[in-house]
Amino acid sequence: MENLSASSRTEAFPVGLRVLVVDDDPTWLKILEKMLRKCSYEVTTCGLARFALEMLRERKDHFDIVISDVNMPDMDGFKLLEHVGLEMDLPVIMMSIDGETSRVMKGVQHGACDYLLKPVRMKELKNIWQHVYRKKMQEVKEIEGHDINEDIQIRNEFEDFEDRHVLNGTDMNSMRKRKDVDNKEHADQEFTDPATVKKARVVWSVDLHQKFVNAVNQIGFDKVGPKKILDLMNVPGLTRENVASHLQKYRLYLSRLQKQNEGRNFGGNMQSDFSSKDVTANFDLHSSTQMQQNGASSKYIYTNQKIPAQVIVPDGCADDFKNVVSLQVMDSKQALLSDVSDSQKVNSVSQLGVLLSFKEMMPIVDMKPLEPAISRHQSWNGGIPVMQFMQYPKHNHKRCSLLEDYSCLPKPDQEHQVFADHVHTPPSVISVTCNTEDDMCSVSELKPVHTNQKSSHIKPISPVPFMTNPVSVQVDSGLSNTQDYSGLSNTQDFGATCGKDGSTNQKDHYNDQTCSGWIPPPLQLSLTNETDLVSLPEQLQLCSLQGIGCFENVGLNNMEIFQYNDSTSAIEVHGNWYDSLEFNCDYLYDSADYPIVDECLFA
Amino acid sequence: MEHSSLQRQVAYGKKSLVDQGYLDEQFYELEELEDEASPNFVEEVVTLFFCDSSRLVANIEQALEKCPQDFRRLGSLAHQLKDSTTSIGALRVKNECTRFREYCDEENLQGCQGSFQKVKREHAILKQKLEAYFQLLRQTGPAARATCSGD
């Protein structure tokens, strides 16, 4: 059926071009939809970037092109752009009212095939099909490239024969002829059957990307080259061109993260832009956490993908931090499947907020010389970063998670009960440490975080199903911080008390609350040291978070770890996550609630 | 007669809105999108705009009250509102948003507050004017509207 519709679509190309429009502004969505329909395109609109990404992942071949706004509250447009480029390899057009050269350049750097200025006119949309066409042509070339590779291999084989030259000459000629014929065939096919071209397009699945990253790390980021990676990956059918283009995107992604981390102070605000780069991952959960000034506060971050991990972050106690530390700012380098939110996303009133991306490739820690960016990441403003795992559980439509739908916020009591059901895990310690003195973070033991909270809850962490190079993290379930939970469970209250110095209020509020459904089922993560980082059990399951949603049952590729660097005692970290599910509800939040949530984001 | 008189009023009303800078050419672009499939497209879009922008205005108001020092957030909200204004060509509101954003960048709270009041005012005025405009437009009827949108 796909072929059929593809053929019919192609025949009338560009009629029926399948466009996905992503914009948080409903008015623009309506207008763009109308404009694109008038161009005879098939339009799908989406108000949330997360939802868009989910849609793209679920229906990979359902869209031809994506048009996205740059400034969206739930996710940076550039981030979406990267994800789409890396995972789906679809052409993406950016839009914005901001037409500054730097922004446009950024768009192009991130792989946008075009950058439109708002207000967008219909005539600009009429020609977007050219980007789809161009990409198809590039794919054809990749196929040609594959043929060339084959030719070279065959040629080499023949060189071993006695009549090398003769044979080579003959074979080369015949191979060339064959190649030409193939090219022609492909060129024809491109127009008649896009499905063929589509087959040739490599889909960078979680597995594949993991292999890619493994290879990159093995070779050494500095010495990496498409051929070397291809050899190491040992994936039949994969061409050097496939790897080369993927590598390019990967580099872009890493450099972007690096820049963001460099330019960031810990006081940076955290935007609700946590994403997991995973073919099947969704990052939908946004939670707001807050670290209290007194006592240890723990922060639960859930990685969207399959791994619900909780990380306890000790709060503002410098000593505690020293012991706790952690860090790995690998994130950007290992951009893989779990995208890391940039440190800037971490909202911290004080110095906290370094994002760690616990990519599958934890071994990157070993790649110190290869990751200069990492050292930069490490340069926190004093203090020792605390590691946090972030999880984005898939939104559970049945439940109302924190920010998903304010009208159905979970009641604290219910949450508590639910939570109690899950709180029976043996204490474990999150042991990931980062030696801030060094440029490279090495993972060592993380001391348990202690909490002074009235109610202490175990923080179970569900196993992280890393595909390869699993990371094991042990979580000290004896630590808990209800504050975070309660904050998460009741955004309204949280929001109500949110303020510049709302910490006290919040604290009180939190203490009154019990853990909300934030706490995921017990997770067995044991992160001991660098080497162990690689040995995460593969059979980790994703458990659903109460009130959060269910995690996808996919291997964990990356975990994002938020690192909080607390150099002072008065630290308050504000993390704010939006539940991606928001898109299920009207993407228009209640005016009363939305601002509150937003506040928390940036407070 | 009455018909053409109404049509003239509608045309005049629209022109004056544009001349006075309340709206820009984007409004005309929207009218061109109207067709048989969506005969009330412009009104629908404008209604949607005011619904969404009112929310954004409320957000900013709340942010100014609760987290006034968070200029980054204020700037971000202002950007969202500005983005929205470009959809229907709400020129005056857009310009005030631009100024508001500038104050946010300068971290000038007083400037922000003053500018925001202007944003609010322009927003309310435009809403009023457009409501009147569409009321008039409805009176002219679909046939007449088809004619005068070409004006």
Side-chain angles (χ1 to χ4, degrees):
Chain A
M1 185 178 130
E2 184 60 36
N3 285 349
L4 228 107
S5 52
S7 304
S8 58
R9 234 192 344 272
T10 320
E11 280 163 18
F13 188 83
V15 169
L17 195 74
R18 299 161 305 173
V19 187
L20 175 65
V21 186
V22 189
D23 196 329
D24 62 300
D25 189 274
T27 320
W28 267 116
L29 269 184
K30 188 178 169 82
I31 296 172
L32 289 166
E33 183 180 24
K34 183 72 186 168
M35 284 184 178
L36 290 163
R37 289 244 156 86
K38 283 204 145 188
C39 297
S40 309
Y41 296 153
E42 238 180 68
V43 190
T44 309
T45 58
C46 195
L48 271 181
R50 282 198 196 74
F51 189 32
L53 210 52
E54 201 178 282
M55 256 200 299
L56 285 164
R57 285 168 178 156
E58 281 171 17
R59 304 183 259 174
K60 269 203 180 317
D61 289 330
H62 208 88
F63 299 103
D64 295 315
I65 188 167
V66 179
I67 302 181
S68 169
D69 190 48
V70 168
N71 301 87
M72 292 184 285
D74 71 320
M75 191 199 303
D76 184 19
F78 296 122
K79 215 171 194 106
L80 175 68
L81 171 58
E82 275 176 13
H83 278 295
V84 176
L86 270 170
E87 295 176 38
M88 294 111 208
D89 198 27
L90 286 175
V92 182
I93 295 177
M94 304 303 291
M95 297 183 292
S96 179
I97 50 171
D98 183 0
E100 264 177 60
T101 309
S102 57
R103 297 294 279 179
V104 177
M105 197 174 292
K106 193 174 175 188
V108 175
Q109 279 169 349
H110 282 80
C113 51
D114 205 350
Y115 194 107
L116 303 178
L117 288 189
K118 281 182 171 177
V120 177
R121 297 277 179 261
M122 205 166 115
K123 59 185 180 223
E124 296 171 272
L125 296 176
K126 273 208 168 91
N127 286 334
I128 60 171
W129 59 266
Q130 62 178 282
H131 305 291
V132 179
Y133 189 80
R134 194 176 296 120
K135 207 141 194 134
K136 286 207 174 128
M137 284 179 62
Q138 285 168 355
E139 280 166 19
V140 169
K141 281 194 187 138
E142 273 184 28
I143 298 169
E144 291 175 21
H146 183 61
D147 289 340
I148 292 172
N149 278 349
E150 277 181 343
D151 292 350
I152 293 171
Q153 282 173 16
I154 297 169
R155 193 196 319 164
N156 289 338
E157 283 175 55
F158 278 108
E159 278 177 353
D160 296 339
F161 283 54
E162 283 185 33
D163 294 0
R164 274 170 228 168
H165 297 289
V166 174
L167 268 174
N168 274 346
T170 317
D171 288 325
M172 280 304 291
N173 287 335
S174 59
M175 281 192 286
R176 260 187 235 114
K177 278 185 200 153
R178 181 165 57 84
K179 184 165 65 85
D180 288 341
V181 169
D182 284 346
N183 287 348
K184 271 202 200 123
E185 286 173 356
H186 285 301
D188 290 341
Q189 277 169 349
E190 175 202 336
F191 298 111
T192 55
D193 187 4
T196 308
V197 174
K198 280 195 169 96
K199 277 181 207 147
R201 179 197 295 175
V202 172
V203 170
W204 284 88
S205 66
V206 165
D207 274 338
L208 204 57
H209 188 60
Q210 181 53 60
K211 283 197 179 118
F212 170 82
V213 175
N214 289 350
V216 167
N217 290 324
Q218 209 171 320
I219 298 167
F221 199 71
D222 287 345
K223 295 174 262 170
V224 84
K227 189 77 175 70
K228 286 183 193 169
I229 299 174
L230 184 67
D231 290 339
L232 263 178
M233 283 177 73
N234 194 26
V235 172
L238 193 67
T239 70
R240 194 199 143 279
E241 281 69 23
N242 297 143
V243 176
S245 72
H246 196 71
L247 178 64
Q248 188 183 25
K249 288 173 190 162
Y250 186 60
R251 279 197 175 120
L252 275 171
Y253 175 82
L254 293 180
S255 67
R256 175 185 74 81
L257 282 169
Q258 176 190 325
K259 274 180 206 145
Q260 282 171 333
N261 284 329
E262 273 173 19
R264 282 296 160 181
N265 239 358
F266 298 105
N269 288 335
M270 173 153 66
Q271 293 159 25
S272 56
D273 185 352
F274 300 131
S275 57
S276 315
K277 217 172 212 177
D278 180 357
V279 194
T280 55
N282 301 316
F283 42 99
D284 348 84
L285 189 64
H286 276 253
S287 62
S288 65
T289 57
Q290 184 178 15
M291 303 223 333
Q292 293 303 315
Q293 298 185 2
N294 309 322
S297 55
S298 11
K299 192 169 183 102
Y300 290 89
I301 307 178
Y302 301 115
T303 54
N304 171 15
Q305 327 207 245
K306 328 171 175 188
I307 300 183
Q310 292 181 13
V311 171
I312 296 167
V313 175
D315 99 66
C317 216
D319 289 340
D320 285 347
F321 271 63
K322 264 201 178 91
N323 296 322
V324 173
V325 151
S326 46
L327 164 36
Q328 217 19 135
V329 187
M330 304 240 78
D331 62 330
S332 45
K333 292 329 165 176
Q334 299 306 330
L336 345 187
L337 311 172
S338 237
D339 197 359
V340 180
S341 328
D342 312 310
S343 53
Q344 61 196 310
K345 308 297 191 226
V346 174
N347 188 10
S348 57
V349 169
S350 65
Q351 305 301 319
L352 301 180
V354 173
L355 270 188
L356 296 183
S357 103
F358 223 81
K359 307 295 182 187
E360 303 173 293
M361 299 311 301
M362 282 314 293
I364 191 128
V365 174
D366 300 321
M367 322 288 273
K368 181 175 187 169
L370 308 169
E371 304 289 359
I374 291 178
S375 53
R376 274 184 278 255
H377 294 166
Q378 309 292 324
S379 52
W380 310 130
N381 294 341
I384 296 178
V386 172
M387 180 168 94
Q388 298 189 356
F389 286 105
M390 185 147 122
Q391 254 178 4
Y392 300 103
K394 187 174 184 177
H395 184 84
N396 183 345
H397 294 255
K398 299 190 193 90
R399 298 173 188 277
C400 286
S401 76
L402 280 194
L403 311 175
E404 161 201 357
D405 184 344
Y406 304 124
S407 62
C408 61
L409 283 175
K411 306 257 184 292
D413 291 336
Q414 289 168 8
E415 296 298 325
H416 185 46
Q417 258 179 351
V418 167
F419 171 73
D421 292 338
H422 295 273
V423 181
H424 296 296
T425 40
S428 45
V429 181
I430 298 174
S431 46
V432 173
T433 62
C434 175
N435 191 347
T436 51
E437 296 308 314
D438 304 340
D439 276 350
M440 176 56 61
C441 242
S442 59
V443 181
S444 52
E445 291 297 324
L446 189 83
K447 268 169 79 175
V449 176
H450 300 283
T451 177
N452 299 339
Q453 304 311 322
K454 273 197 244 171
S455 44
S456 81
H457 299 267
I458 296 176
K459 290 187 180 185
I461 291 186
S462 42
V464 176
F466 282 114
M467 309 286 278
T468 56
N469 299 320
V471 176
S472 55
V473 175
Q474 281 174 348
V475 179
D476 187 338
S477 53
L479 309 170
S480 66
N481 187 349
T482 57
Q483 295 168 349
D484 293 329
Y485 290 129
S486 43
L488 293 173
S489 65
N490 194 338
T491 1
Q492 283 176 338
D493 288 346
F494 179 82
T497 56
C498 175
K500 262 344 238 184
D501 60 341
S503 56
T504 328
N505 294 339
Q506 283 153 338
K507 182 177 180 178
D508 293 338
H509 173 75
Y510 292 145
N511 284 335
D512 294 336
Q513 303 267 346
T514 54
C515 278
S516 69
W518 271 113
I519 304 180
L523 172 67
Q524 294 296 328
L525 292 181
S526 53
L527 184 69
T528 51
N529 53 40
E530 299 179 45
T531 54
D532 284 351
L533 283 179
V534 190
S535 59
L536 190 73
E538 291 191 7
Q539 287 309 318
L540 294 178
Q541 289 181 354
L542 212 64
C543 311
S544 60
L545 274 180
Q546 295 293 335
I548 302 299
C550 36
F551 299 99
E552 277 183 332
N553 214 349
V554 188
L556 175 70
N557 298 299
N558 301 295
M559 276 208 301
E560 292 197 27
I561 302 166
F562 286 85
Q563 185 181 49
Y564 289 82
N565 182 14
D566 179 9
S567 53
T568 68
S569 56
I571 291 173
E572 198 167 54
V573 177
H574 241 293
N576 215 353
W577 289 270
Y578 287 115
D579 191 311
S580 64
L581 269 210
E582 287 166 342
F583 58 77
N584 272 325
C585 316
D586 194 346
Y587 58 80
L588 296 173
Y589 314 115
D590 285 338
S591 56
D593 297 327
Y594 186 66
I596 290 171
V597 169
D598 276 351
E599 283 174 21
C600 301
L601 249 199
F602 300 108
Chain B
M1 294 304 124
E2 194 184 306
H3 222 231
S4 63
S5 159
L6 274 173
Q7 281 180 43
R8 272 202 303 274
Q9 281 180 57
V10 166
Y12 179 76
K14 190 184 357 165
K15 190 173 180 301
S16 74
L17 281 174
V18 174
D19 287 346
Q20 290 173 58
Y22 288 103
L23 295 173
D24 60 26
E25 56 277 355
Q26 175 66 11
F27 197 76
Y28 293 128
E29 292 281 334
L30 293 183
E31 287 184 329
E32 290 192 7
L33 290 176
E34 251 179 19
D35 53 20
E36 283 168 6
S38 38
N40 303 316
F41 184 71
V42 186
E43 191 174 352
E44 287 168 14
V45 170
V46 170
T47 308
L48 187 55
F49 164 75
F50 280 111
C51 173
D52 189 53
S53 60
S54 301
R55 174 183 67 87
L56 292 173
V57 168
N59 283 357
I60 298 177
E61 190 146 39
Q62 208 157 32
L64 277 172
E65 273 175 48
K66 300 213 168 143
C67 307
Q69 300 307 316
D70 193 345
F71 290 104
R72 234 187 112 176
R73 172 162 161 70
L74 285 174
S76 167
L77 289 171
H79 182 97
Q80 279 182 57
L81 182 59
K82 187 177 169 184
D83 194 323
S84 204
T85 61
T86 59
S87 66
I88 68 162
L91 189 58
R92 285 203 186 184
V93 186
K94 182 178 94 170
N95 291 340
E96 289 303 335
C97 280
T98 306
R99 277 177 217 118
F100 177 70
R101 264 197 96 182
E102 283 166 10
Y103 283 119
C104 289
D105 291 341
E106 293 167 19
E107 304 208 349
N108 178 345
L109 183 58
Q110 220 166 358
C112 279
Q113 283 164 338
S115 181
F116 176 66
Q117 291 308 313
K118 289 189 183 155
V119 171
K120 262 177 84 177
R121 193 164 62 234
E122 289 297 339
H123 184 257
I125 291 171
L126 182 65
K127 188 170 182 190
Q128 215 174 9
K129 288 190 181 286
L130 281 175
E131 268 168 4
Y133 171 78
F134 282 113
Q135 209 161 24
L136 194 61
L137 197 59
R138 264 176 255 131
Q139 286 174 29
T140 62
R145 205 181 314 157
T147 324
C148 61
S149 16
D151 289 350

